Amino acid sequence: MNFNFHTNHKVLLAAITIGFLTLSLLIAVFPAYRLQENNPALPGAIRLTDVELKGKALYISEGCQACHTQQVRSNVMDQAWGSRPSVPADYANNVRPGVFRNTGSILGSERTGPDLTNIGLRQNNETWHNLHLYNPRSVVEASIMPAYPWLFREVDEVLVGQSEVLLPEGFGPRNGKHVIETTKSRALVAYLKSLKQQELPSYLKVEFDAYDWQSPPVKTQEIEGTLKLNGQKLYSASCEVCHQSNGSGVPNAFPSLKGSPIVNKEDPTELISIVLFGLDRDNEFGAMLAFGPQLSDEKIAAIVSFERSSWNNAAPEVTAEQVRAIRERGMPIDWQK
């Protein structure tokens, strides 16, 4: 048989094919398989439901990954987006939708918008997500994100079983119609709410001990010779997205903190409880996220003290000891109904 590459093109083509397949296996397939085998899903990680998978497909098709990442880096800049740096096991459940279809490049590299790795914990309020998707400026005044009104429907009348998106004045349709949720908007919101970092097992925590996740502006400020948590910075990181930088909230969605009777009560128990345990009972503004699992007693005390002393509010400062006592006492019984 003639093995001369110059005269036998079949042999040349066969050699190229074998070389390509060999390199693909050695460089891509085997390392990826080994990585998948050595990084099982973290304890508590749950595979996406069918609705969440549809939302993920919509997330990719709408190009959300062009501006939003899903990868927290091990530097101070990313501290606000996750409780820790991302690890390979975070993506173990990111399965292929089909044999010949890729998982979709959701990690991203462009940080035009916030990282969404932990958005399900940072913001699990459906009302906020609906407002943000229909018109981002309705909840984030300076947002440069495009609006996605085609994910919703505009109707003349809201029927039984339909969920209306109550928009602040000036952000709804100009024709006076009502905006309602659709299967697309629900799926995308469900996917966004599913993005949550799981707690690392003890054997993985060691490698992150060296990282200082607290940037100096958030960590401390010098007050009369003592170091104290900066409530304003913590408020900006955790609360501003709903209650706004000036504490005015969003009409029909998130209450104003300016002059609020709850914020200005001499006894801060109710306000601390809301921040710690959230608010799921029916009220004109809907549910609020519980920050107790995410924030320490010291941080919650700093945030609450900032709220009680800003925007012409004039209530006494709150201490970490007060927060700790309410945390240990647990959620009030009447709030569990």
Side-chain angles (χ1 to χ4, degrees):
M1 185 175 181
N2 181 7
F3 289 98
N4 189 324
F5 289 163
H6 297 286
T7 58
N8 191 334
H9 292 169
K10 291 183 179 179
V11 173
L12 175 61
L13 182 60
I16 292 173
T17 302
I18 293 172
F20 171 78
L21 292 176
T22 302
L23 289 174
S24 297
L25 290 171
L26 293 176
I27 296 174
V29 178
F30 291 156
Y33 180 79
R34 183 172 179 273
L35 184 66
Q36 187 77 10
E37 288 294 307
N38 293 339
N39 291 278
L42 295 172
I46 302 174
R47 287 185 179 272
L48 298 180
T49 64
D50 290 341
V51 172
E52 291 164 352
L53 282 171
K54 290 178 182 177
K56 177 182 175 183
L58 193 62
Y59 177 94
I60 295 172
S61 66
E62 293 292 347
C64 302
Q65 69 277 10
C67 293
H68 296 282
T69 54
Q70 288 187 35
Q71 183 181 22
V72 179
R73 301 168 299 183
S74 55
N75 57 31
V76 170
M77 182 185 299
D78 286 7
Q79 184 269 340
W81 311 130
S83 58
R84 56 168 174 77
S86 298
V87 296
D90 286 328
Y91 311 102
N93 283 338
N94 188 24
V95 296
R96 302 169 69 94
V99 177
F100 299 106
R101 297 177 63 191
N102 199 355
T103 55
S105 179
I106 60 173
L107 294 187
S109 59
E110 182 66 36
R111 292 172 183 266
T112 303
D115 183 278
L116 301 181
T117 300
N118 214 26
I119 188 64
L121 284 179
R122 294 202 319 269
Q123 182 54 271
N124 73 345
N125 189 304
E126 292 183 12
T127 300
W128 187 91
H129 284 295
N130 284 327
L131 293 175
H132 189 241
L133 288 171
Y134 186 83
N135 189 331
R137 264 66 60 190
S138 66
V139 287
V140 183
E141 185 178 359
S143 176
I144 60 172
M145 173 177 157
Y148 291 86
W150 54 85
L151 297 178
F152 303 84
R153 279 180 56 204
E154 295 180 3
V155 296
D156 294 320
E157 182 181 357
V158 180
L159 304 178
V160 176
Q162 295 178 332
S163 298
E164 184 177 5
V165 179
L166 297 175
L167 293 151
E169 186 177 351
F171 291 97
R174 295 181 179 179
N175 55 15
K177 291 189 175 184
H178 301 274
V179 176
I180 62 172
E181 299 175 9
T182 65
T183 53
K184 284 187 175 182
S185 69
R186 291 194 190 98
L188 183 52
V189 171
Y191 172 65
L192 292 172
K193 290 178 63 179
S194 76
L195 299 177
K196 302 174 183 177
Q197 280 188 326
Q198 302 298 322
E199 185 177 354
L200 286 179
S202 56
Y203 66 88
L204 285 177
K205 287 183 179 179
V206 178
E207 60 183 287
F208 295 116
D209 286 346
Y211 293 123
D212 178 15
W213 279 99
Q214 300 293 340
S215 59
V218 174
K219 187 175 184 182
T220 56
Q221 59 181 339
E222 191 77 20
I223 298 180
E224 297 178 357
T226 62
L227 293 175
K228 189 173 183 179
L229 287 170
N230 190 319
Q232 182 176 4
K233 292 291 184 181
L234 290 166
Y235 173 88
S236 296
S238 301
C239 314
E240 184 176 304
V241 69
C242 290
H243 296 288
Q244 307 301 301
S245 60
N246 60 0
S248 62
V250 177
N252 300 323
F254 310 108
S256 171
L257 303 180
K258 290 181 179 179
S260 166
I262 295 177
V263 175
N264 285 281
K265 271 186 181 179
E266 186 76 16
D267 180 1
T269 300
E270 186 174 1
L271 178 59
I272 294 173
S273 296
I274 292 174
V275 177
L276 274 173
F277 308 118
L279 192 59
D280 291 329
R281 60 183 179 182
D282 293 334
N283 64 83
E284 60 181 309
F285 293 105
M288 173 178 161
L289 173 67
F291 285 93
Q294 305 176 44
L295 300 178
S296 66
D297 298 331
E298 290 76 14
K299 288 183 177 180
I300 290 179
I303 291 173
V304 171
S305 295
F306 170 73
E307 293 173 348
R308 287 163 63 85
S309 61
S310 302
W311 318 301
N312 294 323
N313 295 335
E317 185 176 291
V318 170
T319 66
E321 287 70 26
Q322 289 175 288
V323 177
R324 188 173 302 112
I326 295 173
R327 186 194 294 270
E328 293 174 354
R329 189 185 312 161
M331 182 186 298
I333 297 298
D334 62 329
W335 286 19
Q336 300 177 19
K337 297 179 181 179

